[in-house]
Amino acid sequence: MLPQVTEELLRLGAAAKTAVKTLSVSDTQTRNTALTLIADALVSRGGEILSANALDMDAGRKNGTTAALLDRLELTKKRLEGIADGVRQVAQLDDPLG
């Protein structure tokens, strides 16, 4: 893996860890707002996400990733919108943390 990619993944992982701690002690409205913002970002940054996914798909093809796995990993606008809708649905669920 490229050093800059590894550094970015480590940075994102650390940020996610911090977010989990923050969200675990937050109230329901805050968690649901965060989920809604995530869904909105998936849609608003969809072009960036799809471009990055296309690069990943090309790399996967070059590295011999199976067609079945590539199909599951490939994002389309429709799939990305479905993911965003799923995140919004989670925000509508009863809060398991109370």
Side-chain angles (χ1 to χ4, degrees), residues 2 4 7 11 15 18-21 26 31 33 37 45 48 51-53 65-66 68 70 73 75 84-85 93 96:
L2 300 172
Q4 65 269 27
E7 290 174 23
R11 186 189 68 73
T18 300
V20 165
K21 289 177 185 174
S26 62
R31 287 191 293 273
T33 298
L37 290 171
R45 298 186 69 185
E48 294 172 63
S51 292
N53 181 251
T65 303
T66 65
L70 287 171
L73 296 174
L75 291 174
D85 288 343
L93 295 173

Side-chain angles (χ1 to χ4, degrees), residues 53-67:
N53 181 251
L55 294 174
D56 291 341
M57 296 296 293
D58 288 341
R61 285 184 198 93
K62 290 176 185 171
N63 291 319
T65 303
T66 65

Side-chain angles (χ1 to χ4, degrees), residues 6-85:
T6 301
E7 290 174 23
E8 179 66 5
L9 290 175
L10 289 172
R11 186 189 68 73
L12 289 171
K17 214 172 188 182
T18 300
V20 165
K21 289 177 185 174
T22 301
L23 288 173
S24 69
V25 295
S26 62
D27 60 46
T28 301
Q29 182 177 354
T30 300
R31 287 191 293 273
N32 288 341
T33 298
L35 288 167
T36 301
L37 290 171
I38 289 167
D40 292 345
L42 287 169
V43 173
S44 69
R45 298 186 69 185
E48 294 172 63
I49 294 167
L50 293 175
S51 292
N53 181 251
L55 294 174
D56 291 341
M57 296 296 293
D58 288 341
R61 285 184 198 93
K62 290 176 185 171
N63 291 319
T65 303
T66 65
L69 181 55
L70 287 171
D71 180 62
R72 286 190 291 272
L73 296 174
E74 184 174 24
L75 291 174
T76 62
K77 184 176 180 185
K78 182 177 179 178
R79 285 182 176 183
L80 197 54
E81 288 170 353
I83 294 167
D85 288 343

